[in-house]
């Protein structure tokens, strides 16, 4: 049995044929965290994973949809008891996100507060151009659970703060395409690094990454960590199992 791959952030419901992707995941034995962008999408997306214990479905409200879908926070709160995983949530401080910034903060604070009340969750977090604000928000909500910063693109100083705050990280081929992404990944503690695709948004060679298509990221990490590809796969699976046992 080959060592399974881990995809800690994948938009399974946004592929043209999600069922076919589920079958492929089943064959490969990969662990996949299937994230959602709106609370309303959760039930249908979660149904895709039925019968496959290695696919977990996260309940999310993407920061870029925060103002448009803030009305779905009641659905978020109602569904939160049904999953240990929350995402994609977070903040987006890029030009597109700036307009809805205040609403984003309100929605993210609500999400984190709900996670605290629920006793803590595992969160996959978007922090594009907003690393500092995301970390500030996490600090305002002790007991929210465990943060996994996905596709981290902040500064080295912000990364150091995130490490200090016990955050985890998920890195994929999209992030590792850039020199900056590579440099950040090198600075991350290997024990807290998982792999991801962010498919179908992230692409490789002009094609959307398939769920659990993490071999490229594994090869990069193996260089940073100075161990072979097999050992890198083992390390990532081990870290994943540690994370879910927290
Ligand atoms: Mn995403």
């Amino acid at each position: 049995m080959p060592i399974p791959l881990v995809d800690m952030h994948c938009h399974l419901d946004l592929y043209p044929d999600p069922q076919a992707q589920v079958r492929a995941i089943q064959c490969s034995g990969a662990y996949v965290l299937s994230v959602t962008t709106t609370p309303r999408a959760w039930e249908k997306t979660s149904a895709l994973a039925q019968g496959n214990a290695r696919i977990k479905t996260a309940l999310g409200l993407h920061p870029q949809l925060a103002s448009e879908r803030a009305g779905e926070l009641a659905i978020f709160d109602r569904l939160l008891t049904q999953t240990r995983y929350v995402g994609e949530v977070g903040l987006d401080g890029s030009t597109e996100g700036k307009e809805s910034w205040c609403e984003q903060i309100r929605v993210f604070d609500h999400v984190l507060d709900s996670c605290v009340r629920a006793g803590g969750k595992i969160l996959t977090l978007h922090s594009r151009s907003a690393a500092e604000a995301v970390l500030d928000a996490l600090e305002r909500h002790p007991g929210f659970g465990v943060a996994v910063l996905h596709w981290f693109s902040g500064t080295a100083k912000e990364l150091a703060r995130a490490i200090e705050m016990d955050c985890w990280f998920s890195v994929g081929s999209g992030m590792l395409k850039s020199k900056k992404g590579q440099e950040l990944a090198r600075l991350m503690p290997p024990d807290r690094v998982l792999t991801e695709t962010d498919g179908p948004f992230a692409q490789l060679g002009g094609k959307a990454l398939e769920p659990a298509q993490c071999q490229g990221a594994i090869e990069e990490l193996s260089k940073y960590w100075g161990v072979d590809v097999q050992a890198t796969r083992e390390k990532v699976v081990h870290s994943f199992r540690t994370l879910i046992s927290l």
Side-chain angles (χ1 to χ4, degrees), residues 9 11 35 62 88 126 150 198 201:
H9 187 110
H11 298 263
V35 305
H62 196 286
E88 179 166 2
H126 178 110
H150 118 82
D198 201 16
F201 292 117

Side-chain angles (χ1 to χ4, degrees), residues 39 59 61 69-80 110 114:
L59 174 64
L61 210 176
R69 303 298 187 103
E72 292 182 33
L73 282 172
I75 304 175
F76 181 93
D77 289 344
R78 179 168 58 77
L79 293 173
L80 191 57
H110 180 115
S114 298

Side-chain angles (χ1 to χ4, degrees), residues 152-156 159 175 180-188:
F152 186 79
S153 58
T155 63
L159 176 64
M175 169 181 170
K180 186 190 170 191
Q182 293 169 13
E183 280 166 4
L184 288 167
R186 277 179 194 274
L187 294 170
M188 292 170 180

Side-chain angles (χ1 to χ4, degrees), residues 4-23:
L5 286 163
V6 175
D7 186 347
M8 200 58 198
H9 187 110
C10 178
H11 298 263
L12 203 49
D13 59 340
L14 301 182
Y15 285 89
D17 187 351
Q19 301 280 6
Q21 297 295 355
V22 169
R23 289 191 293 273

Side-chain angles (χ1 to χ4, degrees), residues 81-234:
T81 56
Q82 296 189 41
T83 180
R84 263 193 92 192
Y85 301 89
V86 167
E88 179 166 2
V89 294
L91 297 170
D92 190 303
S94 68
T95 324
E96 305 156 59
K98 266 278 180 300
E99 225 171 284
S100 61
W101 185 251
C102 291
E103 192 68 352
Q104 283 188 47
I105 301 263
R106 190 183 75 80
V107 166
F108 189 40
D109 273 325
H110 180 115
V111 162
L112 291 171
D113 189 45
S114 298
C115 291
V116 174
R117 286 165 202 267
K121 299 286 177 182
I122 295 173
L123 282 68
T124 175
L125 296 163
H126 178 110
S127 60
R128 183 166 63 154
S129 306
E132 201 182 354
V134 165
L135 297 176
D136 288 345
L138 296 177
E139 266 180 1
R140 283 197 296 275
H141 299 275
F144 69 85
V146 185
V148 184
L149 293 164
H150 118 82
W151 198 324
F152 186 79
S153 58
T155 63
K157 199 175 159 205
E158 288 161 345
L159 176 64
R161 182 180 169 207
I163 293 167
E164 187 66 29
M165 287 173 63
D166 294 330
C167 293
W168 289 60
F169 305 92
S170 59
V171 307
S173 299
M175 169 181 170
L176 297 173
K177 262 185 222 165
S178 75
K179 187 116 184 63
K180 186 190 170 191
Q182 293 169 13
E183 280 166 4
L184 288 167
R186 277 179 194 274
L187 294 170
M188 292 170 180
D191 288 345
R192 277 190 259 150
V193 173
L194 302 167
T195 46
E196 67 166 37
T197 59
D198 201 16
F201 292 117
Q203 300 193 335
L204 192 64
K207 253 193 99 208
L209 283 168
E210 308 268 319
Q213 202 185 332
C214 296
Q215 297 89 336
I218 289 284
E219 281 165 27
E220 275 297 305
L221 291 172
S222 88
K223 286 192 258 166
Y224 309 160
W225 297 346
V227 294
D228 68 22
V229 165
Q230 283 303 95
T232 305
R233 284 175 72 140
E234 256 167 52

